[in-house]
Amino acid sequence: MSTSNASPQTEATGDGRLRRDMGLTSLLFTSVGSIIGSGWLFGAMYASQDAGPASVISWSLGGFMILLIGLVYAELGSMFPVSGGVVRFPHYSFGSFASYTTGWITWLAAASVAPIEVEAALQYATNYIPWLTQHVDGTAVLTVRGYGVATALMLLFSFVNVVGVKWFARINNIIVAWKLFIIMLVIVVFLAVEFQPEHFTMQGFAPMGAHGALSAIATAGIVFSFLGFRQAVEMAGETKNPHRNIPIAIIGSVVLTVLIYVGLQVAFIGSLPTSALANGWAGLHFENSFGPLAGVATILGLTWLATLLYVDAFISPADTGLIYTTITARISYAMGKNGNAPASLAKVSKKGVPWVSVAVTFFAGLVFFLPFPGWQQLVGFITSASVLSFGSGPLVLIAMRKQLPEQKRPFRLWGGIVLPFLAFWSSNLIVYWSGWATTWKLFAAILIGLVLLAIHEVAHKGKTPKLDMRSGFWVIPWLLGLCVISYLGNFPEVSEGAGNLGLIGFYLSFVVTGVFSGLIFWLAVAFQLSPERVHEHINEEWADEGDAPLGGH
């Protein structure tokens, strides 16, 4: 076992290498570009309906909770700059079962984002290309021709990825600069043309109370809008100087977009026509509210800005779809590297691209184009799945400090166990706030993933990595416990007929989820893998380099 202090500059695979073509700007813009997708086009409207003016607090608190999680991954990502880190870190500390479960959840969430972003772009584009979508039972779904356009876009995303990440970075940097310009333009123009401060006290600052403000974090697209920070982690194996670039990209992308989103929410509330609030914040509605920002711009007489927004309503989601096509392929690549999914997923082309994973991502994306209940419902599902996959990060971080105390940490999260615990608690709270109507579907999907794992184990008996169930079994009580708490809880309110019992009240839910988070935290760290086993997991993935990224100072 090598104990070299050097971290490799490329990541080995059985048949090629991932190239480090992304600099700091490219990595930062990848995260920012992923954050600014369809969320900013819909989020201000849905957050206002759920929380009223208190939605400003929702954006701030949601961003803070995501920043806590991001700080955890800043330490882990700078320690091990590997692609698909969200999946591979649990493999290092807790073994194959833990990494497969979190990997399946992560892949499920990521694979659905690209087609959803494409669908959002085409829904906006219906304003000038009416044959793209049609209304079925009040829900916009793709027409046959619209499905063809959506497929072509997904194919284009795949082509860009197969050409190579260097070209992806060049294209993305230009698009992200455009997206930042448009969103800042909207904020400045809305504030300058029409701002009515009385809207912030109309019917009270928090007409739905704290319950509405917290629920909006999970269901109005707020956390969904921040999830793009992960791209700095997922593409860590393809960036130059990862020890510096990863923490800056993670922290910088979250802080920058929190400021942008809070500013946008303030501008949206202040520039709304007062008539739109005739039925209260929950009944917020105005002409063309299906495209809320463009609708407000039209009401204010800013036709030129509305036109720009309709154009950006295609560009922003499409760019995020491109990014998530890249990321989803890296996640399945990581699962292939871990050995608990088909090894072919980790095949890399001469250009340094996991081409099999890109192909799988494309075909899986086509399935998600089937009619769904709507953007907001899907956002809740993706949000829950994503933060659930992030939840293992804080556990890995604390375990790694005991397993590999001498490992070089270019970025070390301060505060001992406090901030990692708060990050884990935040993840569980966000899942809980998503509500039983969303979480039961998520846990059903997780069960399907466990069935697929069992099939894979049987089909490749003796050829798959040891599951390390003793170190990874904490995943089962964690998922089951969250499922039970959600069913007993009051998100959404029982009166909405979501099927939950409402036995856990609003304030009690903080205590219950906090105690539960502490128990799972203790359980995972207490049964973590031995340092020797961790060395085996890490070194076996870097074997082709002839050196492992382990060592001292």
Side-chain angles (χ1 to χ4, degrees):
M1 178 179 64
S2 172
T3 57
S4 168
N5 294 345
S7 294
Q9 292 305 302
T10 58
E11 185 179 351
T13 68
D15 55 356
R17 301 176 187 276
L18 294 175
R19 296 176 53 177
R20 296 192 182 277
D21 284 330
M22 301 187 73
L24 174 58
T25 301
S26 294
L27 195 65
L28 176 63
F29 270 36
T30 298
S31 290
V32 171
S34 184
I35 289 173
I36 303 176
S38 62
W40 86 277
L41 297 166
F42 296 100
M45 173 77 168
Y46 288 130
S48 296
Q49 290 174 333
D50 286 355
S55 53
V56 173
I57 304 299
S58 301
W59 283 103
S60 302
L61 181 57
F64 174 72
M65 296 172 80
I66 289 297
L67 182 59
L68 287 175
I69 299 171
L71 288 170
V72 167
Y73 282 96
E75 176 171 329
L76 293 175
S78 61
M79 284 174 63
F80 299 108
V82 294
S83 289
V86 174
V87 177
R88 295 169 74 178
F89 299 150
H91 187 74
Y92 296 162
S93 285
F94 300 111
S96 187
F97 178 74
S99 70
Y100 172 83
T101 306
T102 56
W104 169 253
I105 298 169
T106 304
W107 186 87
L108 197 66
S112 61
V113 172
I116 290 168
E117 295 289 345
V118 169
E119 205 163 26
L122 296 185
Q123 183 175 330
Y124 260 82
T126 302
N127 181 68
Y128 44 87
I129 309 177
W131 50 262
L132 288 173
T133 65
Q134 61 184 349
H135 285 271
V136 177
D137 297 327
T139 301
V141 298
L142 294 172
T143 62
V144 174
R145 286 186 292 175
Y147 189 95
V149 174
T151 302
L153 281 173
M154 289 293 293
L155 189 61
L156 176 62
F157 298 160
S158 300
F159 173 76
V160 172
N161 276 274
V162 170
V163 168
V165 72
K166 187 174 184 178
W167 285 100
F168 158 75
R170 290 176 178 175
I171 295 171
N172 185 64
N173 288 353
I174 296 172
I175 296 176
V176 173
W178 159 268
K179 294 201 295 186
L180 286 172
F181 168 73
I182 291 297
I183 194 171
M184 295 302 297
L185 181 65
V186 170
I187 294 171
V188 171
V189 172
F190 275 17
L191 290 175
V193 173
E194 183 74 30
F195 187 76
Q196 302 180 63
E198 61 271 16
H199 285 179
F200 288 88
T201 55
M202 188 175 293
Q203 303 163 28
F205 179 73
M208 291 78 167
H211 190 286
L214 296 180
S215 179
I217 292 175
T219 62
I222 290 177
V223 165
F224 171 78
S225 297
F226 289 118
L227 293 177
F229 85 86
R230 68 181 298 155
Q231 316 320 355
V233 180
E234 301 295 8
M235 302 198 72
E238 293 157 274
T239 181
K240 303 171 185 176
N241 196 0
H243 297 158
R244 180 202 66 176
N245 293 353
I246 295 169
I248 293 176
I250 291 174
I251 298 170
S253 63
V254 175
V255 171
L256 174 63
T257 52
V258 165
L259 296 174
I260 289 174
Y261 281 133
V262 169
L264 180 64
Q265 188 69 54
V266 170
F268 178 79
I269 291 174
S271 58
L272 279 172
T274 303
S275 60
L277 300 173
N279 297 318
W281 287 100
L284 175 62
H285 179 77
F286 50 89
E287 188 176 359
N288 292 333
S289 58
F290 65 90
L293 298 179
V296 171
T298 300
I299 292 172
L300 296 178
L302 304 169
T303 306
W304 62 271
L305 182 59
T307 301
L308 283 177
L309 281 166
Y310 279 120
V311 172
D312 186 69
F314 182 84
I315 294 176
S316 287
D319 177 57
T320 302
L322 170 62
I323 293 171
Y324 267 92
T325 300
T326 305
I327 298 311
T328 305
R330 268 59 182 179
I331 294 170
S332 53
Y333 162 86
M335 294 177 74
K337 289 285 290 183
N338 286 344
N340 45 30
S344 60
L345 292 173
K347 287 186 176 180
V348 177
S349 70
K350 293 181 180 179
K351 290 183 176 291
V353 176
W355 65 273
V356 175
S357 287
V358 171
V360 170
T361 298
F362 168 72
F363 287 109
L366 299 185
V367 176
F368 287 100
F369 283 130
L370 298 175
F372 282 106
W375 185 88
Q376 191 173 10
Q377 290 82 357
L378 284 172
V379 160
F381 178 87
I382 296 169
T383 296
S384 298
S386 297
V387 297
L388 202 58
S389 67
F390 292 144
S392 63
L395 308 180
V396 173
L397 185 146
I398 296 302
M400 279 285 185
R401 288 181 179 177
K402 295 183 178 182
Q403 294 164 326
L404 303 174
E406 302 302 317
Q407 176 69 18
K408 182 179 179 181
R409 289 169 168 80
F411 175 87
R412 185 180 179 93
L413 181 58
W414 58 94
I417 197 175
V418 176
L419 291 184
F421 172 74
L422 289 177
F424 184 60
W425 188 11
S426 294
S427 297
N428 293 333
L429 278 172
I430 292 170
V431 173
Y432 175 71
W433 292 337
S434 296
W436 173 247
T438 295
T439 56
W440 79 261
K441 299 172 186 175
L442 172 60
F443 293 119
I446 294 172
L447 183 60
I448 293 173
L450 294 178
V451 171
L452 293 177
L453 173 63
I455 294 173
H456 180 73
E457 289 291 315
V458 172
H460 299 83
K461 189 174 182 180
K463 299 180 181 179
T464 58
K466 183 181 178 182
L467 286 177
D468 291 307
M469 284 298 298
R470 181 181 181 275
S471 297
F473 83 96
W474 57 268
V475 171
I476 297 176
W478 176 39
L479 297 176
L480 285 177
L482 277 177
C483 185
V484 171
I485 292 172
S486 180
Y487 179 62
L488 297 177
N490 67 341
F491 278 84
E493 295 179 353
V494 177
S495 60
E496 297 180 22
N500 52 318
L501 299 182
L503 299 179
I504 300 177
F506 177 76
Y507 295 105
L508 181 60
S509 65
F510 287 90
V511 177
V512 172
T513 55
V515 172
F516 172 74
S517 299
L519 289 173
I520 299 300
F521 208 106
W522 169 82
L523 194 64
V525 175
F527 289 91
Q528 64 191 11
L529 289 173
S530 66
E532 294 75 20
R533 185 69 173 141
V534 175
H535 279 70
E536 290 177 11
H537 279 165
I538 297 175
N539 288 344
E540 69 189 10
E541 292 197 8
W542 295 75
D544 292 339
E545 284 296 313
D547 201 4
L550 291 173
H553 312 287

